[in-house]
Amino acid sequence: MPKELIRLSNCTMAFDDEVVLDNINLYINDKEFLTLLGPSGCGKTTTLRIIGGFQMPTSGDVFFDGVRINSVPPHKRAVNTVFQKYALFPHLNVYENIAFGLRVPRVEEQKNEMGKVLSRRKVKLSEKEIDQRVMEMLEVVNLRGFEKRRVTSLSGGQQQRVAIARALVNKPKVLLLDEPLGALDLKLRKDMQNELKRIQKAMEITFIYVTHDQEEALAMSDTVVVMDGGKIQQIGTPEDIYNEPKNAFVADFIGESNILDGIMRSDGVVEIFNRQFACLDSGFEKDEPVDVVIRPEDVDIVPENEGQLKGTVTNVTFKGMQYDIIVDFYGFKWLIQTTDLSPVGSRIGIKIDPDGIHIMKKSQYSGMFGDYSSYSEEYEEISDAAYEPGEDGQEDGDEK
Amino acid sequence: MRNKLSWFSAPYVVWMALFTVAPVILVVIYAFTAVPPAEGFTLDNFLRMKEFAVVFARSFRLALIATFICLLIGYPLSYFLAKEGPSFQKIAMVLIMLPMWMNFLLRTYAWMSILENNGFLNRMFAALGIIDLGNLINGGLNSLCASLNEGVLAWLNARLGTALLLSTDRATDMTYFRMLYTQGAVVLGMVYNYLPFMILPIYSVIIKLDNSLLEAARDLGASSARVFRKVIFPLSLPGVLSGVTMVFVPSVSTFAISKMLGGGTKLLLGDLIELQFLGGAYNPYLGSAISLVMMVIVVVCMYVMNRFGEGEEQAVVL
């Protein structure tokens, strides 16, 4: 039975009447890797800053280990942060950056049996202890031998490791990571994902991770919290989020999706384009309008006369592992991923297995996503809600 | 491969050659040239330097005090200013810069009329009853006021460890605080004129400090005082160094301020040099030698300071 460590209860955050977080309820378990995922401006960074103590919620409560910590300042929380741009101290070398938290004198309280504070004294770690802990951390992040280097002379990935070591050296119960891999190139990002996962397992602490990169979220997390518009859209394991998206926003944001209007005719039967398909979902009203999600990889291409639906290929993109083809079905364009090439202009049929069809209740996001008619070479970015022109993976919209 | 646009820098190169490089070369040549009617290379001009040791010491002492006071005022001001809202910052910046839009001499003249024996300040003191002009002339409260005066001075001197501020040569009737024509007035003039040069570099460094650095320090457990000591101050040192440079260098070589506010009796280096070129003691050879020595001392000071600062951050451009 996992132990609850942090709880946000009815947290709302507003800056000058602009609601950034809207009544967030969330609990985070001990030793969990939890990711806050969403497009810029969705409130994920604000949520992280509330947990870190850099911002106080306008209303609502934050609990840590059952204790309300709304007004506890950052330096008194058992939480440390890895900042978006690392925020390493440029005037200190690698060693001193990591030792920074260790050199802060701690207040040690002596209490009597009744729990009353008898005396307080400041305790400093000895140089030997500091040295030992710093070296330990350098080992954890694989930076042995870099102690004396200036942080400005390090590569992005190395700086990232220093930032992680610096945040971990005080042995926090929770590590907050604000888009820590945003500035790294793809290859390094993949390596660091594994690295972070390994560190989290080794240190046995809770990681709360903020990102707008859904792949990263799926690959690393125990729990993913999908956010948009200051609200939590869905909480679940990566598999849940991918396989059973709660609404069109989640379906679109996580992976590629064709999202169609459908009507539930009965349990296990959904009607799309006036054709009935078998599905596994039940519990809807009879004839209830729904959103239907079909993942591009769940579609089988068959000869035209064998298909449940028939359409024309309008675009083909070679992606290495597969072709991404756009198929026009009765004016609605689908994205289908296939390993067999179907040339542009050819007529094809498709089949969809019942477990490839996911039914969602209609929501405010219905009709906003899932149509690939605006397809272009950049369709991924256009269909990805996180994409903002001129933005390079940084999330500035959240920072106030 | 050279940029064709580099030709646009030609006017400046010519300017610099004519008005910076050439004069420095001339100063060096003059400094090593014997005073006519003697001729040729000599070190005599430098050997005479010990006559002026007092002037050197006084100049450097006053400039150091002025620099220190500027730092004392300028750093907290810059620090708190950088934390204010942008509109307040704009207004404050205009106010800090405002005096600099007026001529340097005019500003200094204004101080003369403020500090004069029957100037603005002394009249205000009289009006407030701190010194009573009438009674003092009568001699009635003379002793009281004199002791007050001395008390204030003793306190100031004890606090600042100097005997410089508001030195009152009470030679004649003590009917006022003697402020003008004191070394304190000279220091005041330096501080007033050069304070913006201290504020601006410090302010511009602090305003650019990445807020996430401060948050990171807080996050790692540092109290506000510790964040300041361990992060903000070390990172603002480059601004402090260039501020100190920009106040110290003009202070140590000033002559207008000491002439106008110091009365020109206790010479500073600037006065001394001016005398050699324009004054009765006409001796450009000696003047060049003094200039050269001063330049060398200043450059060495700045070099040492920048080396000292390099440990913390990159060197400051002079």
Side-chain angles (χ1 to χ4, degrees):
Chain A
M1 183 66 192
K3 180 172 154 278
E4 177 186 307
L5 190 61
I6 294 174
R7 175 177 284 276
L8 301 182
S9 118
N10 303 318
C11 276
T12 295
M13 187 84 202
F15 299 105
D16 309 324
D17 299 334
E18 193 201 334
V19 177
V20 182
L21 280 188
D22 190 358
N23 206 26
I24 296 282
N25 284 291
L26 176 67
Y27 69 88
I28 297 153
N29 285 329
D30 199 16
K31 302 188 180 50
E32 177 177 32
F33 197 123
L34 179 133
T35 299
L36 301 169
L37 173 68
S40 47
C42 74
K44 57 189 192 291
T45 296
T46 308
T47 308
L48 197 76
R49 290 175 64 82
I50 285 174
I51 297 171
F54 298 109
Q55 265 158 9
M56 264 218 256
T58 318
S59 67
D61 294 313
V62 188
F63 296 97
F64 189 92
D65 235 348
V67 183
R68 187 174 177 275
I69 54 162
N70 279 37
S71 50
V72 176
H75 64 282
K76 294 193 174 146
R77 295 189 181 196
V79 166
N80 283 117
T81 308
V82 176
F83 290 84
Q84 204 168 44
K85 285 155 200 153
Y86 319 142
L88 297 178
F89 305 122
H91 59 300
L92 302 176
N93 63 20
V94 170
Y95 184 98
E96 286 303 323
N97 260 281
I98 297 173
F100 190 94
L102 295 173
R103 292 198 191 281
V104 177
R106 309 278 144 190
V107 178
E108 198 171 75
E109 291 180 343
Q110 273 196 318
K111 295 179 182 175
N112 62 10
E113 311 82 62
M114 309 289 286
K116 202 178 158 221
V117 179
L118 293 175
S119 67
R120 286 194 177 88
R121 61 192 188 99
K122 285 194 168 177
V123 195
K124 271 191 171 174
L125 292 178
S126 70
E127 279 302 316
K128 209 177 138 212
E129 246 175 303
I130 290 175
D131 194 60
Q132 192 194 334
R133 299 259 299 262
V134 171
M135 288 304 164
E136 224 171 87
M137 282 327 301
L138 282 168
E139 198 74 61
V140 171
V141 297
N142 281 331
L143 277 181
R144 259 261 143 97
F146 283 75
E147 307 80 282
K148 296 281 169 272
R149 291 276 291 273
R150 297 189 70 89
V151 289
T152 42
S153 72
L154 301 181
S155 71
Q158 289 165 340
Q159 291 191 28
Q160 183 57 260
R161 286 158 198 263
V162 177
I164 291 166
R166 186 182 66 174
L168 285 174
V169 79
N170 279 347
K171 300 188 175 148
K173 285 193 172 161
V174 180
L175 189 68
L176 308 179
L177 302 105
D178 186 3
E179 305 236 10
L181 308 184
L184 305 181
D185 60 54
L186 187 65
K187 177 88 174 58
L188 203 51
R189 202 150 67 205
K190 296 271 189 236
D191 291 346
M192 281 305 289
Q193 285 177 12
N194 295 329
E195 191 78 5
L196 281 173
K197 197 71 197 162
R198 179 184 67 76
I199 292 171
Q200 191 243 344
K201 287 271 182 289
M203 305 286 293
E204 294 194 309
I205 59 171
T206 308
F207 272 36
I208 303 178
Y209 191 94
V210 158
T211 184
H212 67 268
D213 182 335
Q214 43 103 6
E215 252 177 75
E216 209 166 277
L218 296 180
M220 301 169 78
S221 320
D222 300 319
T223 307
V224 178
V225 179
V226 184
M227 297 180 71
D228 185 53
K231 290 195 177 97
I232 293 176
Q233 301 298 331
Q234 188 169 359
I235 305 178
T237 64
E239 289 87 351
D240 287 347
I241 300 270
Y242 189 85
N243 292 331
E244 302 294 336
K246 256 203 185 132
N247 60 36
F249 174 81
V250 178
D252 180 75
F253 196 77
I254 312 292
E256 297 294 337
S257 318
N258 301 296
I259 304 172
L260 311 124
D261 287 326
I263 298 166
M264 260 338 244
R265 287 305 181 199
S266 65
D267 280 356
V269 181
V270 64
E271 189 178 296
I272 313 165
F273 295 130
N274 298 320
R275 280 165 190 78
Q276 297 204 338
F277 288 81
C279 63
L280 303 175
D281 301 75
S282 58
F284 292 87
E285 309 258 326
K286 190 172 157 39
D287 298 336
E288 182 181 339
V290 291
D291 285 334
V292 181
V293 179
I294 297 166
R295 296 289 186 185
E297 70 273 18
D298 288 340
V299 179
D300 295 325
I301 295 180
V302 294
E304 189 185 358
N305 52 2
E306 291 170 25
Q308 290 167 297
L309 293 171
K310 301 167 180 59
T312 313
V313 178
T314 63
N315 202 317
V316 178
T317 310
F318 179 58
K319 284 285 177 152
M321 262 169 58
Q322 86 275 349
Y323 294 97
D324 279 6
I325 65 173
I326 301 293
V327 186
D328 188 331
F329 294 104
Y330 322 104
F332 189 95
K333 300 210 172 168
W334 288 34
L335 172 70
I336 297 172
Q337 289 168 345
T338 169
T339 49
D340 304 319
L341 174 61
S342 305
V344 173
S346 61
R347 295 281 296 168
I348 58 165
I350 57 163
K351 266 190 170 161
I352 306 156
D353 289 336
D355 65 359
I357 295 176
H358 308 291
I359 311 294
M360 306 180 302
K361 288 218 179 267
K362 284 277 177 194
S363 70
Q364 54 164 323
Y365 296 105
S366 296
M368 285 167 67
F369 306 109
D371 177 7
Y372 287 86
S373 56
S374 55
Y375 180 86
S376 72
E377 291 302 319
E378 288 86 30
Y379 75 90
E380 268 179 24
E381 284 154 346
I382 286 170
S383 66
D384 186 350
Y387 178 75
E388 275 177 15
E391 189 197 50
D392 190 23
Q394 300 298 335
E395 190 190 54
D396 295 316
D398 267 9
E399 290 173 0
K400 291 274 164 128
Chain B
M1 220 70 98
R2 293 267 310 273
N3 192 334
K4 279 181 187 165
L5 288 175
S6 65
W7 283 108
F8 283 101
S9 65
Y12 176 68
V13 172
V14 171
W15 178 275
M16 207 167 62
L18 279 178
F19 299 112
T20 307
V21 179
V24 169
I25 293 172
L26 277 180
V27 164
V28 173
I29 294 173
Y30 263 71
F32 288 102
T33 304
V35 183
E39 277 177 16
F41 175 86
T42 180
L43 290 175
D44 284 353
N45 295 326
F46 292 97
L47 295 176
R48 282 193 62 192
M49 216 54 71
K50 60 178 175 293
E51 294 170 35
F52 308 111
V54 183
V55 182
F56 270 93
R58 187 186 296 134
S59 282
F60 276 84
R61 195 177 63 220
L62 291 190
L64 275 177
I65 291 168
T67 308
F68 184 67
I69 293 174
C70 280
L71 185 60
L72 232 49
I73 301 171
Y75 195 97
L77 186 71
S78 315
Y79 178 71
F80 290 109
L81 196 57
K83 297 189 153 200
E84 290 293 334
S87 53
F88 182 87
Q89 286 187 13
K90 262 182 215 149
I91 294 169
M93 270 301 133
V94 169
L95 288 179
I96 289 165
M97 299 297 291
L98 196 62
M100 312 206 14
W101 299 345
M102 264 168 280
N103 183 281
F104 174 82
L105 291 176
L106 287 182
R107 276 181 274 157
T108 311
Y109 271 121
W111 271 112
M112 287 179 76
S113 69
I114 291 172
L115 298 175
E116 263 170 357
N117 293 349
N118 59 350
F120 174 77
L121 268 181
N122 273 316
R123 281 162 201 255
M124 200 177 73
F125 289 149
L128 291 172
I130 295 172
I131 51 172
D132 190 324
L133 288 169
N135 281 337
L136 281 169
I137 290 162
N138 291 337
L141 279 172
N142 208 346
S143 57
L144 172 71
C145 206
S147 62
L148 174 73
N149 199 352
E150 258 158 20
V152 169
L153 277 176
W155 182 82
L156 276 176
N157 288 337
R159 278 298 142 113
L160 300 174
T162 79
L164 288 164
L165 292 166
L166 296 181
S167 67
T168 51
D169 301 328
R170 293 184 292 111
T172 53
D173 278 353
M174 184 51 231
T175 59
Y176 43 74
F177 284 112
R178 203 186 134 202
M179 292 179 282
L180 193 58
Y181 304 140
T182 62
Q183 297 199 345
V186 175
V187 170
L188 176 73
M190 291 174 177
V191 170
Y192 179 78
N193 278 306
Y194 302 130
L195 184 59
F197 296 113
M198 182 65 84
I199 295 172
L200 291 179
I202 297 177
Y203 168 80
S204 63
V205 168
I206 293 182
I207 197 90
K208 271 191 243 142
L209 276 188
D210 187 351
N211 192 43
S212 65
L213 288 181
L214 313 189
E215 286 190 345
R218 303 272 296 161
D219 187 69
L220 292 167
S223 61
S224 305
R226 197 175 174 85
V227 174
F228 179 80
R229 249 178 334 122
K230 296 290 178 186
V231 181
I232 299 174
F233 187 71
L235 286 178
S236 62
L237 267 187
V240 171
L241 288 184
S242 64
V244 165
T245 309
M246 285 165 76
V247 172
F248 182 75
V249 172
S251 293
V252 82
S253 57
T254 182
F255 66 94
I257 292 176
S258 63
K259 213 173 192 182
M260 291 160 75
L261 299 177
T265 48
K266 293 204 164 160
L267 288 182
L268 295 188
L269 273 179
D271 307 306
L272 190 63
I273 295 167
E274 192 210 6
L275 273 180
Q276 308 309 320
F277 287 95
L278 302 170
Y282 183 77
N283 185 348
Y285 306 95
L286 180 60
S288 296
I290 300 171
S291 305
L292 196 59
V293 169
M294 188 182 77
M295 276 195 280
V296 168
I297 294 176
V298 167
V299 167
V300 167
C301 285
M302 292 305 131
Y303 179 75
V304 169
M305 252 181 55
N306 280 324
R307 285 309 297 268
F308 164 74
E310 250 172 29
E312 303 287 354
E313 252 301 308
Q314 302 306 316
V316 185
V317 182
L318 278 176

